[in-house]
Amino acid sequence: MLSILGLAMILVFIVALSRKKLQVFVALTLVPLVFGTIACLATGNGVLDVFTWIQHGVFFKVDPDTGKVAWGVIAPATTILFSIFYFDLMLNVGLFDPVAEFFIKKAKGDPLKVIMSTAAVASVVSLNGDTTTTIIICLAAFRALYKQLGLTLWTLAIVIVAPIGIWNQLPWGGPTIAAAAALHVDLIALFRQLLPGLLTAQVVVLVIAYRIGLKERARIHFDPASCESVGPEQIDAMLRAVRDKDPGLKRPRLFWVNLLLTLGGLTLLILDLAHGAVVFLLLSALALVINFPDVDQATDRIEAIAPDVLPTTIATLGAGVFSGVLTGSGMASALANSIAGAIPTSLGSHMAPVYAVMATPAIVFLPQDAFYFGIASVLSGVMEQFGITPMQAAVASMVGQSFRLISPVIPALYLLCGETEQNFVDFQRKYLRWFWPVLVTYLVVYGLTGALPW
């Protein structure tokens, strides 16, 4: 019963978004509220339990036996709130103008060069293993440039997240840690098995980014062989558009101060010396007092930036309602067990790649721990009966990470979709259209190395 409710909740959520029947925050909040209430009635729980599940999903839950705290989305929501505010402020004062001008001059309006640069920067930044940080940095560096050059913002979104899905599988990444712990395999040994696939997938992502760049060239009729495609006058017009935007807010004399402030904050963030929410909260306060010491000016900036901050932040909090109800009601666990039971065991030694493909939707829609400690841990024992080792089962459980970065339970993706002006389901479709070869790459490479027996 719970597995059917869980599946229905996910499907209703997807349909409501794809047909634009509900706004994303409303869908994330009211759909699980309805299905959570039904789950309470069906299982004999008190209806008020729904509020407890939501509290756990949004804020935190304390394990009564171990005392361990499992945080909800309040931390990433706060990080997103202040990070959007801070980088909007830095855009206002012109911190990223030199970056935009550099790429405009070097790319000379060439979409291919801009898109390849995006993929390269996202790949490097994502090595820290933090999705939110990578998205924030890449949006700040490239969003204005894409808009200036007339490039599609959905391209920016999918080119940013594709490398994140690869490098989240480093030893300090959440999926790899969860897989190793759930299947009781050595973390570093698992990473060694994954590394050939990750490196090959990175090459594939760059090739796909190159193809997207060629498509964008054709769409805006850019001819790299013609010096007339983007002449000096047009480039100068692009540069002026950057320089002349909100000139009253620009603070060129404070450029180095703002740069050092930003680099210092990002260093704390990347080295994990302080929580992102705390870092960006303090950065925002410092940036306001440095750049807008007048109280009225500072107040005006807060009010002007609020429309950028509010939609993404409340969508993130809505994601906490969705994941809290899905997990707390038992729907996540029941759905995990149902998916595990649906995978045929009669395929023998071929079960590993079959499991890798069939488990991919679960990786996308279930909370990460629900998948690895539910489905993956259960199926590891089943596959062992057919000669598939726990290590090979762990590798199979990582293949679906190729699509993890289109999951509706990742809060930072709502920031990405908001900043790139697109519906979440449209973002999912565009990513699937272009980056499905990453999943195939994993299957082929792991098959050739023996990490995933065929």
Side-chain angles (χ1 to χ4, degrees):
M1 177 65 178
L2 286 176
S3 60
I4 295 174
L5 279 176
L7 180 61
M9 186 173 91
I10 292 170
L11 291 176
V12 169
F13 170 76
I14 294 172
V15 171
L17 283 187
S18 61
R19 296 189 177 181
K20 299 182 180 179
K21 297 296 184 181
L22 293 175
Q23 194 271 345
V24 62
F25 167 69
V26 176
L28 283 167
T29 304
L30 296 188
V31 171
L33 178 62
V34 171
F35 280 91
T37 303
I38 296 172
C40 287
L41 297 174
T43 58
N45 291 326
V47 175
L48 294 181
D49 285 350
V50 174
F51 296 103
T52 301
W53 301 336
I54 292 173
Q55 178 183 329
H56 292 164
V58 174
F59 295 102
F60 62 88
K61 178 182 180 181
V62 179
D63 189 307
D65 298 322
T66 64
K68 182 179 178 181
V69 175
W71 285 96
V73 300
I74 190 64
T78 310
T79 301
I80 286 171
L81 187 155
F82 285 108
S83 66
I84 295 175
F85 180 84
Y86 178 75
F87 282 111
D88 267 20
L89 202 59
M90 289 297 101
L91 285 168
N92 290 160
V93 301
L95 176 64
F96 299 105
D97 286 3
V99 176
E101 291 178 15
F102 172 81
F103 281 110
I104 287 172
K105 291 175 182 177
K106 293 297 181 182
K108 298 188 185 299
D110 188 345
L112 176 60
K113 293 179 181 179
V114 173
I115 291 169
M116 293 299 291
S117 297
T118 306
V121 171
S123 299
V124 172
V125 178
S126 64
L127 294 177
N128 77 330
D130 184 75
T131 298
T132 302
T133 300
T134 304
I135 289 174
I136 289 169
I137 292 173
C138 290
L139 282 174
F142 288 100
R143 182 176 178 271
L145 178 61
Y146 272 64
K147 295 194 77 170
Q148 177 60 37
L149 297 178
L151 305 183
T152 52
L153 289 180
W154 64 260
T155 296
L156 174 62
I158 65 173
V159 171
I160 287 175
V161 299
I164 300 176
I166 297 171
W167 301 114
N168 268 359
Q169 299 175 66
L170 290 168
W172 50 86
T176 313
I177 293 172
L183 278 72
H184 308 291
V185 298
D186 182 74
L187 177 62
I188 302 302
L190 173 58
F191 174 66
R192 292 195 192 103
Q193 296 290 314
L194 297 175
L195 188 57
L198 303 185
L199 294 174
T200 309
Q202 175 66 21
V203 174
V204 171
V205 163
L206 292 176
V207 171
I208 294 172
Y210 184 86
R211 290 187 58 208
I212 294 174
L214 294 178
K215 290 276 189 181
E216 284 293 270
R217 267 184 178 178
R219 189 183 64 82
I220 66 172
H221 307 293
F222 178 87
D223 182 5
S226 173
C227 59
E228 297 179 355
S229 294
V230 178
E233 298 82 5
Q234 290 171 291
I235 291 179
D236 188 58
M238 292 180 188
L239 295 175
R240 284 200 309 271
V242 173
R243 295 165 183 162
D244 297 343
K245 187 178 186 300
D246 299 324
L249 300 177
K250 297 293 175 68
R251 299 291 187 269
R253 294 182 180 179
L254 294 173
F255 172 78
W256 290 106
V257 175
N258 288 321
L259 179 62
L260 291 174
L261 182 66
T262 302
L263 292 177
L266 292 179
T267 299
L268 291 174
L269 195 66
I270 292 171
L271 295 180
D272 199 22
L273 298 176
H275 193 279
V278 176
V279 170
F280 284 116
L281 184 152
L282 296 176
L283 286 178
S284 297
L286 288 170
L288 272 176
V289 76
I290 289 170
N291 293 278
F292 302 98
D294 181 80
V295 173
D296 290 337
Q297 285 184 321
T299 302
D300 289 343
R301 281 297 87 215
I302 292 173
E303 292 176 353
I305 294 173
D308 291 341
V309 173
L310 186 60
T312 303
T313 303
I314 65 172
T316 302
L317 294 172
V321 178
F322 189 93
S323 61
V325 171
L326 190 66
T327 303
S329 65
M331 284 188 278
S333 177
L335 191 55
N337 291 332
S338 296
I339 294 172
I343 298 175
T345 58
S346 60
L347 295 174
S349 61
H350 299 296
M351 188 176 172
V354 171
Y355 157 53
V357 173
M358 293 186 68
T360 296
I363 293 176
V364 173
F365 289 105
L366 291 179
Q368 190 161 267
D369 288 345
F371 170 74
Y372 283 107
F373 292 95
I375 295 175
S377 60
V378 171
L379 286 183
S380 176
V382 174
M383 289 190 286
E384 205 166 356
Q385 300 174 27
F386 299 97
I388 298 170
T389 68
M391 180 63 74
Q392 292 168 333
V395 172
S397 73
M398 297 296 288
V399 169
Q401 290 296 323
S402 51
F403 294 146
R404 176 64 180 174
L405 265 292
I406 58 170
S407 171
V409 300
I410 298 179
L413 295 181
Y414 296 101
L415 162 65
L416 182 67
C417 288
E419 292 295 296
T420 54
E421 304 170 10
Q422 61 180 323
N423 179 279
F424 190 85
V425 174
D426 290 338
F427 159 71
Q428 290 178 313
R429 287 174 180 155
K430 290 182 175 75
Y431 183 90
L432 288 169
R433 174 191 169 193
W434 281 100
F435 287 103
W436 61 264
V438 176
L439 183 143
V440 177
T441 298
Y442 287 146
L443 292 173
V444 171
V445 173
Y446 295 147
L448 292 175
T449 62
L452 191 65
W454 284 83

